Amino acid sequence: MNRPRFRCISDTCGKEFSIDEKLFRCSACSDLLDIAYAFDDLDPGDLRRVFRSRRGSVEPLDGSGVWRYRELLPFASGDERWIVTMGEGNNPVVDARQSARYVGLKNLRVKHLGWNPSGSFKDYGMTVAISQARKLGSRVVCCASTGNTSASMAAYCARTEDVRAVVFIPEGQIAYGKLSQTLDYGAQTIQVRGDFDAAMELVQDLSNTTDLYLMNSINPFRLEGQKTVMIDLFDQLDWKVPDRIVVPGGNLGNSSSYGKALMELKRLGFIEKVPRLTVIQASGANPLYRTLVSSSRELVPVDNAWTLASAIKIGRPISWKKAVRALNFSDGWCDEVSEQEIADAKAILGRDGIGCEPASATTVAGLKKLIEGDRKNVRIDAEEDV
């Protein structure tokens, strides 16, 4: 039994709360919340075998690349009736040989998160967050989105009979393919005058003053689902951990959740080596990069953030503290890339037969830049496995 609780991430606070409360921030100090566990009698060797055996099961929860790892998630036996799953996860790890040559590495592999039901990595987190919303009795969920979150949330709501989706989109700043998905899935969609950060501020206010249940990455249940990307990846690699993991940086939920997974897997004995987490941002939307290079203890926001990689066009990322924590734990770093570098990397990924949004191509662009030595304090061996 893992006995999960909300825990404030502040070192000076650290208060805990029941996960049966509707909370997104600490009610004592307003900082972000984690879901913390007191794992009892957990044997990583036994669980690895259980995880692997479930791959051959016909049970819906076992077939999900998220719920297959449910012993590491905040749902107890008996909560299954609330769970909404569409077989998310199980995304392949693809060798990217052309991209490896382009960046100057011997080995480069891509976990293709676009193979999810809605075509987005957000499905990993959404299945857990929607399930928690149902468990709490929420009837309407909401998010601010430039595309991926809205489509994923709307899809999972459509699979329920009791939860409706309301999406707030920044004016003229959404991926129209994702918007069409959102509308197809029946979500009520409201355009906000302003950018993503303005929409995010609005939905936070609404979730605090109404019955709306917030589904952005400030919701700790979202990050619990997304952390299973790392568990799924290591399981696929037979627990042979790569040297480095590179991710795009927008609202920073992904890097935060991956860092949490690494911390838990290391503490529980699933892994001995911790891969270096590297976050890549667009140069026009680079608040985490600015924060780190200035050694600031507070976020250095980007007003009027701009990039054609719309999924990461965010100037005030909610999860920045958790992302910094993840980079510190893994001896990682953050870098920025230009619009041209993103476009070039996207073209190279296409030659590997890998389709992606411009935001995802920042990873290859960032690797190339790091390897070429544009950041003297980051050293990469050409033999690294990434």
Side-chain angles (χ1 to χ4, degrees):
M1 183 176 180
N2 57 33
R3 303 198 306 276
R5 300 273 294 172
F6 285 133
R7 180 182 294 161
C8 177
I9 69 168
S10 171
D11 292 336
T12 59
C13 178
K15 290 188 180 298
E16 295 191 351
F17 311 91
S18 167
I19 61 169
D20 293 328
E21 297 184 55
K22 179 193 168 187
L23 284 178
F24 307 112
R25 288 186 179 274
C26 176
S27 57
C29 72
S30 298
D31 215 330
L32 299 175
L33 295 172
D34 267 338
I35 295 181
Y37 303 88
F39 291 106
D40 294 334
D41 301 324
L42 189 154
D43 185 295
D46 288 345
L47 267 187
R48 284 182 184 180
R49 288 186 285 272
V50 170
F51 296 157
R52 184 60 56 86
S53 69
R54 287 174 178 163
R55 288 183 177 274
S57 170
V58 297
E59 294 297 321
L61 293 189
D62 293 344
S64 164
V66 174
W67 296 105
R68 178 181 303 129
Y69 309 107
R70 52 191 174 271
E71 285 81 2
L72 303 181
L73 292 175
F75 276 70
S77 177
D79 287 340
E80 292 86 354
R81 67 188 183 278
W82 306 117
I83 293 175
V84 184
T85 179
M86 291 194 284
E88 55 287 317
N90 305 307
N91 307 133
V93 179
V94 182
D95 285 324
R97 296 178 183 176
Q98 301 248 30
S99 298
R101 285 194 289 271
Y102 176 72
V103 302
L105 284 174
K106 181 179 179 181
N107 298 307
L108 177 62
R109 288 174 287 187
V110 175
K111 186 163 174 61
H112 200 328
L113 301 184
W115 286 44
N116 273 300
S118 78
S120 169
F121 70 91
K122 299 290 179 74
D123 293 355
Y124 276 90
M126 205 59 67
T127 179
V128 177
I130 287 288
S131 299
Q132 176 66 6
R134 297 186 74 218
K135 183 181 175 184
L136 293 179
S138 297
R139 292 293 176 261
V140 185
V141 298
C142 67
C143 71
S145 180
T146 58
N148 281 301
T149 302
S150 63
S152 181
M153 184 184 78
Y156 279 85
C157 285
R159 298 295 299 175
T160 76
E161 297 181 356
D162 51 5
V163 182
R164 294 190 295 115
V166 180
V167 176
F168 294 82
I169 63 173
E171 185 176 16
Q173 299 179 39
I174 188 168
Y176 289 106
K178 292 297 181 181
L179 176 59
S180 67
Q181 282 182 269
T182 304
L183 297 173
D184 278 348
Y185 301 147
Q188 181 178 353
T189 305
I190 301 168
Q191 183 168 268
V192 175
R193 185 169 296 172
D195 58 11
F196 172 85
D197 299 308
M200 188 68 232
E201 184 176 352
L202 175 61
V203 295
Q204 287 187 82
D205 289 342
L206 288 171
S207 67
N208 288 331
T209 56
T210 71
D211 291 334
L212 287 174
Y213 187 73
L214 183 59
M215 300 296 287
N216 286 97
S217 58
I218 192 174
N219 184 330
F221 284 88
R222 266 279 310 279
L223 300 192
E224 288 304 293
Q226 284 174 218
K227 82 180 184 185
T228 62
V229 173
M230 288 295 98
I231 308 170
D232 193 30
L233 171 64
F234 296 159
D235 190 13
Q236 289 171 310
L237 298 178
D238 199 25
W239 297 93
K240 296 179 176 66
V241 178
D243 298 313
R244 183 179 293 265
I245 294 170
V246 187
V247 297
N251 214 23
L252 302 176
N254 245 3
S255 49
S256 299
S257 64
Y258 296 171
K260 186 171 188 290
L262 296 177
M263 286 185 273
E264 290 178 352
L265 293 173
K266 180 69 166 62
R267 175 167 60 90
L268 294 170
F270 280 88
I271 61 174
E272 294 184 4
K273 181 178 85 171
V274 176
R276 299 177 70 186
L277 192 61
T278 303
V279 179
I280 308 297
Q281 298 195 296
S283 57
N286 61 351
L288 180 62
Y289 174 76
R290 292 186 183 194
T291 301
L292 294 178
V293 297
S294 65
S295 300
S296 173
R297 293 190 176 185
E298 298 298 327
L299 180 71
V300 180
V302 177
D303 295 326
N304 302 313
W306 185 89
T307 172
L308 290 174
S310 60
I312 57 173
K313 187 165 62 174
I314 297 169
R316 297 175 182 271
I318 289 291
S319 299
W320 73 273
K321 287 185 180 180
K322 291 183 178 181
V324 171
R325 179 181 67 179
L327 295 181
N328 288 339
F329 175 76
S330 67
D331 190 28
W333 185 243
C334 176
D335 209 334
E336 61 175 354
V337 289
S338 69
E339 297 295 297
Q340 187 61 56
E341 287 170 320
I342 295 171
D344 292 345
K346 188 178 186 313
I348 293 296
L349 279 162
R351 293 185 191 175
D352 275 313
I354 299 170
C356 70
E357 294 181 338
S360 298
T362 59
T363 55
V364 170
L367 262 179
K368 181 176 175 62
K369 184 175 181 180
L370 289 172
I371 290 167
E372 288 175 347
D374 285 345
R375 290 293 171 264
K376 294 181 180 179
N377 58 337
V378 178
R379 297 172 56 194
I380 296 182
D381 188 328
E383 297 297 312
E384 274 197 9
D385 187 9
V386 182

